[in-house]
Amino acid sequence: MKISWRDYDPGTGWDELLGAPGRPRPHARELAKHLSALSAQQLGRRQDAAERAILEMGITFTVYSEGQNIDRAWPFDIIPRIIPASEWRRVEAGLKQRMTALNLFIDDLYNEQRIVADGRFPRALLETSGNFRKECRGVKPAHGAWAHICGSDLVRDADGTLYVLEDNLRVPSGVSYMLENRIVTKQVFPELFSRNRILPVDDYPSLLFDTLASLSPRPLDYPEVVVLTPGIYNSAYFEHAYLAQAMGAELVEGGDLVVADDDCVYMRTIAGLERVDVIYRRVDDTFLDPDEFRPDSMLGVRGLMRAWRAGKVAIANAPGAGVADDKLVYAYVPDIIRYYLDEDAILPNVPTYACIEEKDRRHVLENLANLVVKPVNESGGYGMLIGPAASHADIDKFRRLVSLEPRNYIAQPVLSLSTAPTLVNGRLEPRHLDLRPFSLQGERNEVTAGGLTRVALVEGSLVVNSSQGGGSKDTWVVESEES
């Protein structure tokens, strides 16, 4: 029995593939036509083939559960998410604008602090920031870039508006899964790549290497770039190893590096010490250097901050970049863009209530059952309240938390996240999703064509994080007559 789009109900929200039952969106007609020529059994076999490929390629992620680290195969849905290139050009411009402004903001906070002196960003927020590193004051990194890799989470509401949900500026992950999703989809649907003009993503490792190389303190054609990982037990270790191999860079742990008396960083090799120019670190700030942060850290390199401040090594993302990764700072990003660039934000923020503000806090406490409440420094979907799905006990708990520590919470309305067809038990059903494109900034500013689409595999769920049971899809940015 063939797939019939008339049997697929996109509901009352925004579906990425269909505008109404049986009516694919113009840029998705070729994909919808091809899928409708397949039977449920044929789609099922292709899904099985994708899952076998994922197992054979060793694409995994780690779930921390009850004190155990559990490696699981990457959950993947074969039906791609599709975006017209005409829309993507605006998204790309908005992400570049956002990345530029945030880097100007971070640089200002660690140097002149003009935005604070001019009263455009509250001093109290800076003084209470858990991610501001006094050890970074006065540093001027190459090209004025502190956040070199950013994963911005985008969501689409029921009216079709794309919002930036948050900016991940510390050690954003997920790009390896974006790349692997494309590889697997090409294996499962090779015919579709000859019939559709799908913008490529496989140049990301070379773009990342070029970005990192542009930060090198030495003018070399091929500087020594390394990827610093916490080790095999980190949940994103697959990605660390993947990117190091794809870039032709060394994958190192803290014990592989040493800072010498000349303030340079060296890598231990069987041929002796070899100087390192750029460190793409996947280790949190406080573990980077036991001399300046956590003295018990075994993950970092003693003296690394000294070498970085001396300009003898570049670190991406730079220490301290997370000061702009605070969800409370997020609420001020449109103002930050206007302040530094004298422009309105191309991509809007989700309306956000800052609980530190008395008026906002009062509204949040009165409407907890209708809001999403998030701790400002958590990630991965942990520690938040989804009001409409919460119990009375959970709502009472968050009322106490917000009242006791208002600086630690923001709240946002519950968006009706867009959906896309997802293969579930042989049927195509709508599931909610988001999108994480990746932006790079060094000598140049680049944005991936699409990104990592994460999908909530549980019916009706709005939680897309893999650590919370979500999966992913390939993301196609398609050039067509309509785009």
Side-chain angles (χ1 to χ4, degrees), residues 312-426:
K312 298 295 183 69
V313 71
I315 302 176
N317 285 344
V323 70
D325 197 349
D326 186 320
K327 289 182 176 63
L328 194 50
V329 171
Y330 160 89
Y332 292 85
V333 171
D335 293 332
I336 288 169
I337 292 172
R338 279 190 289 269
Y339 181 80
Y340 291 106
L341 303 180
D342 195 25
E343 300 169 357
D344 288 332
I346 297 171
L347 297 174
N349 272 19
V350 176
T352 302
Y353 300 97
C355 294
I356 196 172
E357 302 284 351
E358 183 178 352
K359 181 180 177 182
D360 284 5
R361 183 168 66 254
R362 190 182 313 118
H363 175 84
V364 170
L365 291 173
E366 291 173 357
N367 294 275
L368 283 171
N370 303 312
L371 297 169
V372 176
V373 183
K374 301 177 180 178
V376 299
N377 286 312
E378 289 284 351
S379 61
Y382 291 103
M384 68 181 188
L385 175 82
I386 301 178
S391 66
H392 291 300
D394 284 338
I395 290 173
D396 289 342
K397 172 187 172 183
F398 269 79
R399 182 173 287 109
R400 292 192 299 272
L401 289 172
V402 170
S403 299
L404 287 171
E405 298 182 283
R407 168 63 174 84
N408 289 342
Y409 292 93
I410 63 164
Q412 296 168 332
V414 179
L415 299 183
S416 179
L417 300 189
S418 65
T419 59
T422 302
L423 192 59
V424 181
N425 297 323

Side-chain angles (χ1 to χ4, degrees), residues 63 100 161 177 408 413:
V63 175
T100 300
T161 301
Y177 300 114
N408 289 342

